[in-house]
Amino acid sequence: MTENLGVLGTKTPRRTGVERVVNAPLPTVYGKFQAVGYMDHDRGEEQVALVHGDIGAERVLVRLHSECLTGDAFGSQHCECGDQLAAAMRAVVAEGSGIVVYLRGHEGRGIGLLAKLRAMALQAEGLDTVEANLALGLPVDARDYGVAAGMLHDLGVRSVRLMSNNPLKREALVRHGVQVDEQVPLLIPPCESNITYLRTKRERMDHHLPHLDAVAHLS
Ligand SMILES: [Zn+2]
């Protein structure tokens, strides 16, 4: 790696951490948000937090949403991500204030879009989502939440009510200095295409999905 040398030959310190870059109004079908754009200097990634209303600092209703192109944009029924994103945006608007942090670089629990598609191809052959990642020589979950905590700190948030079924998200936020007062379930009714995936999340990744008990009839 070449060093970044200034005109006097001294080393220019590289920026680190997360920097707020832009704030733009974003009207959506769910309600009005502010899209607050950040640059993550550690990873070189662009990130965005959708802020609704006057959020305050304590017990802020927050969703940390991991990017999922197939679920969020294409309406994939392989997973429940698209429905979770919509439900989170609706919940924040219904509450009157809150934040949806949309985490880019989290495709396929952090393995990337193409690897996720490879894992989905293996799942179509009968592997579950955990086995598929491992068969590809990839981690089951490679997501990092440091940038999310950095964005919440920048927005003045000290404690959250976290909309998530995933205990790892809660633990990660706490580790990064954001208090989690409450974990709010975000339960999406399963369908035939995603019931196996959801059961794997519950049984192998410890997700809290009590509503799956009621749908034993789905194969
Ligand atoms: Zn998804």
Side-chain angles (χ1 to χ4, degrees):
M1 228 164 92
T2 55
E3 282 189 340
N4 183 8
L5 296 175
V7 283
L8 299 175
T10 52
K11 205 170 161 186
T12 310
R14 195 175 69 88
R15 269 203 82 127
T16 57
V18 38
E19 179 192 11
R20 190 197 296 210
V21 175
V22 63
N23 196 350
L26 185 73
T28 73
V29 292
Y30 310 104
K32 288 181 179 155
F33 289 82
Q34 287 287 322
V36 187
Y38 289 88
M39 187 67 206
D40 175 2
H41 291 286
D42 297 334
R43 292 171 171 247
E45 284 173 344
E46 298 174 331
Q47 300 287 1
V48 66
L50 302 180
V51 177
H52 177 79
D54 186 5
I55 51 176
E58 309 286 346
R59 295 184 57 80
V60 182
L61 188 62
V62 167
R63 165 77 180 159
L64 303 186
H65 190 82
S66 292
E67 171 179 37
C68 174
L69 180 72
T70 45
D72 299 340
F74 303 152
S76 162
Q77 291 190 320
H78 177 86
C79 55
E80 86 278 43
C81 304
D83 287 338
Q84 281 191 314
L85 178 59
M89 291 179 75
R90 274 194 206 101
V92 159
V93 171
E95 175 82 6
S97 69
I99 307 172
V100 176
V101 179
Y102 190 86
L103 290 162
R104 304 184 64 211
H106 273 202
E107 277 288 354
R109 297 189 299 275
I111 61 176
L113 178 61
L114 297 185
K116 180 179 84 170
L117 293 175
R118 284 194 191 100
M120 283 167 65
L122 290 176
Q123 287 168 76
E125 291 169 13
L127 271 62
D128 73 29
T129 179
V130 170
E131 291 163 349
N133 280 32
L134 295 176
L136 292 167
L138 295 167
V140 174
D141 196 336
R143 289 175 290 185
D144 178 83
Y145 297 96
V147 66
M151 292 157 83
L152 291 174
H153 284 141
D154 176 75
L155 291 166
V157 174
R158 284 193 294 270
S159 76
V160 303
R161 282 173 297 139
L162 182 64
M163 282 186 277
S164 176
N165 310 317
N166 183 354
L168 289 181
K169 286 188 179 175
R170 177 190 195 124
E171 289 159 23
L173 271 190
V174 170
R175 202 164 54 241
H176 288 287
V178 178
Q179 188 180 320
V180 179
D181 291 324
E182 196 184 323
Q183 196 153 347
V184 181
L186 198 55
L187 303 178
I188 306 298
C191 65
E192 214 172 315
S193 308
N194 66 21
I195 185 67
T196 306
Y197 173 80
L198 291 174
R199 286 199 177 117
T200 304
K201 271 185 161 183
R202 179 166 76 167
E203 283 152 28
R204 304 200 63 179
M205 286 180 277
D206 209 19
H207 283 223
H208 188 60
L209 299 168
H211 66 316
L212 297 187
D213 292 332
V215 290
H217 63 281
L218 286 173
S219 58

